[in-house]
Amino acid sequence: MNSNTLFDNTEVAFALKNDAQLERAYFLFKMISHQPLVRIGTAATNFALKANLPVEGLIRSTVFDHFCGGVNEEDCLPVIDKMFTKGVSSVLDYSVEGKEEESTFDEARDKIIKIIKFADEKEAMPIVVFKPTGFGRFYLYQKKGEGKAFTPQEQDEWNRIVARFDTVCRLAKEKDVEVLIDGEESWMQDAADDLCEAMMCKYNQDKPIVYNTLQTYRWDRFEYLKGIHERAKAQSYKVGFKIVRGAYMEKERDRAEEKGYQSPICETKLATDENFNSCMTYILNNLSDISLFIGTHNEQSCYLAMHLMQKLGIDKKDNNVWFGQLYGMSDHISFNLAEQGYNVAKYVPFGPVKDVMPYLIRRAEENTSVAGQTSRELNLLKKEKARRKL
């Protein structure tokens, strides 16, 4: 098969979907392709949930079941096991967002601990993930990153954030489960980066356990990558990075404009693509020091990675290179890569329907705004429907 048509194989892509699920996916992406519909649907859904109208069942059987693994870890097991039959691993992502109380931060930490122990027993779950703001208040990361002094209370609170990071990373090392730490908004990211680096220094002495995230729509990330590589070599620890393009572009640009500083975001989509590919190429060329999780729905970046791996003699099953996509999206990439023998993991979001809605709404909006994403999904689903004569 010509390597540049690898992702056109819909039989492999949708092997796990029965006819009804295929029809549902087609219906969902058809809906998502209409921007006004997404806006109306979002508003209606938010209203219905806040008003406690009985819509959870409807949400659960449509958009939730398509993009999420379940309401809790156990609920996700059938999804995890099913995907693993096709060689696709799972990264369980507890997608509850925007909480601000200490109790919920402890709860998030306990949830990750539980997932690490869960993953330790399941070959299909080699990796876990958490968000920095899942473990502490956004404001504290921001204040820390700006170099402002904490009040004694804030210092205590910050110490608890560090302790949560440490508890999780220490257990991950003990159980040999890799932990990906998500990237967030640039004005809180400096403090998160420093904390991730401290954890890498402490727990990545023998091999990469802790991974930070490089958001390559930020033009400064390639320099940051080279800088941390130098520091890691000097202190002899390994670096792990998940590379993504990024998810907060409008927010980033609006804030930069409002506050009158230079936007941290690349000027163009092309510049972002080039930055992503540069970071990826740099890491693949330095695989003995840096491990890589390629988080992308971009076919060209995947083809480039495959080409580089072949050129550099990197084994498809080398644990230092993983490909990742979101559950419910880009199955044509995930399952075809896995079929070819690469390491592939799906991010599988889970959590109570109500709490996961902000995540789902972001995904729907993202799909309407990313040019071509939805039409590509629709064309592939249409092709598979024709193949099955539905």
Side-chain angles (χ1 to χ4, degrees), residues 35-52:
Q35 242 163 338
L37 259 182
V38 171
R39 280 200 288 274
I40 294 162
T42 296
T45 304
N46 274 333
F47 170 76
L49 285 170
K50 285 198 177 84
N52 287 318

Side-chain angles (χ1 to χ4, degrees), residues 25-299:
Y26 184 74
F27 168 75
L28 271 178
F29 280 110
K30 197 102 180 127
M31 298 289 280
I32 289 173
S33 65
H34 300 288
Q35 242 163 338
L37 259 182
V38 171
R39 280 200 288 274
I40 294 162
T42 296
T45 304
N46 274 333
F47 170 76
L49 285 170
K50 285 198 177 84
N52 287 318
L53 296 176
V55 289
E56 284 209 7
L58 177 66
I59 294 168
R60 175 91 220 234
S61 62
T62 53
V63 62
F64 184 91
D65 276 356
H66 182 83
F67 290 109
C68 299
V71 293
N72 55 39
E73 307 85 315
E74 288 76 14
D75 206 15
C76 295
L77 279 173
V79 168
I80 294 168
D81 291 339
K82 204 167 149 189
M83 289 201 295
F84 201 56
T85 62
K86 300 291 180 194
V88 174
S89 298
S90 295
V91 181
L92 280 191
D93 184 8
Y94 183 53
S95 300
V96 174
E97 301 184 356
K99 308 266 188 190
E100 290 276 280
E101 299 79 43
E102 285 292 297
S103 60
T104 55
F105 299 143
D106 285 339
E107 213 174 288
R109 174 206 58 206
D110 294 345
K111 186 61 92 179
I112 305 302
I113 287 172
K114 190 175 171 189
I115 296 172
I116 292 172
K117 290 176 175 168
F118 206 61
D120 182 38
E121 291 158 22
K122 277 199 90 62
E123 197 195 339
M125 289 174 57
I127 303 164
V128 300
V129 62
F130 72 87
K131 277 173 85 118
T133 53
F135 284 6
R137 284 193 302 142
F138 187 100
Y139 169 74
L140 283 179
Y141 289 97
Q142 184 179 342
K143 192 168 179 179
K144 178 90 176 158
E146 289 167 353
K148 293 177 181 160
F150 281 155
T151 65
Q153 275 111 322
E154 286 171 342
Q155 188 57 53
D156 286 348
E157 211 182 317
W158 180 257
N159 294 345
R160 287 197 292 276
I161 294 177
V162 177
R164 288 181 194 111
F165 268 73
D166 196 70
T167 302
V168 164
C169 295
R170 186 172 59 240
L171 181 66
K173 173 144 182 82
E174 213 175 282
K175 302 287 189 195
D176 199 20
V177 171
E178 281 141 41
V179 60
L180 306 177
I181 301 170
D182 274 341
E184 301 188 61
E185 289 88 344
S186 61
W187 57 100
M188 63 71 69
Q189 192 61 44
D190 288 347
D193 284 344
D194 291 347
L195 198 42
C196 289
E197 193 167 336
M199 294 297 137
M200 285 188 204
C201 187
K202 192 168 176 182
Y203 295 111
N204 290 5
Q205 295 291 337
D206 323 318
K207 62 186 238 187
I209 288 289
V210 182
Y211 285 61
N212 194 4
T213 300
L214 279 182
Q215 295 163 302
T216 59
Y217 66 176
R218 285 181 56 177
W219 48 261
D220 66 348
R221 294 291 87 181
F222 190 40
E223 288 310 312
Y224 171 73
L225 167 62
K226 289 192 283 196
I228 195 171
H229 183 202
E230 289 311 311
R231 292 191 293 278
K233 278 196 296 199
Q235 297 171 52
S236 56
Y237 63 89
K238 306 284 185 202
V239 181
F241 271 118
K242 174 177 74 160
I243 56 170
V244 298
R245 279 170 170 77
Y248 306 95
M249 188 168 75
E250 280 79 16
K251 223 174 172 180
E252 290 280 2
R253 285 186 172 147
D254 291 348
R255 186 178 191 267
E257 197 172 321
E258 182 199 321
K259 301 221 179 268
Y261 59 83
Q262 185 191 359
S263 167
I265 305 299
C266 293
E267 293 274 316
T268 61
K269 169 79 168 75
L270 179 66
T272 295
D273 289 341
E274 284 172 353
N275 201 26
F276 182 95
N277 292 341
S278 300
C279 290
M280 181 170 76
T281 304
Y282 181 87
I283 296 173
L284 288 172
N285 276 298
N286 290 284
L287 212 55
S288 52
D289 302 326
I290 316 174
S291 290
L292 178 62
F293 185 99
I294 307 166
T296 186
H297 292 237
N298 182 297
E299 294 174 18

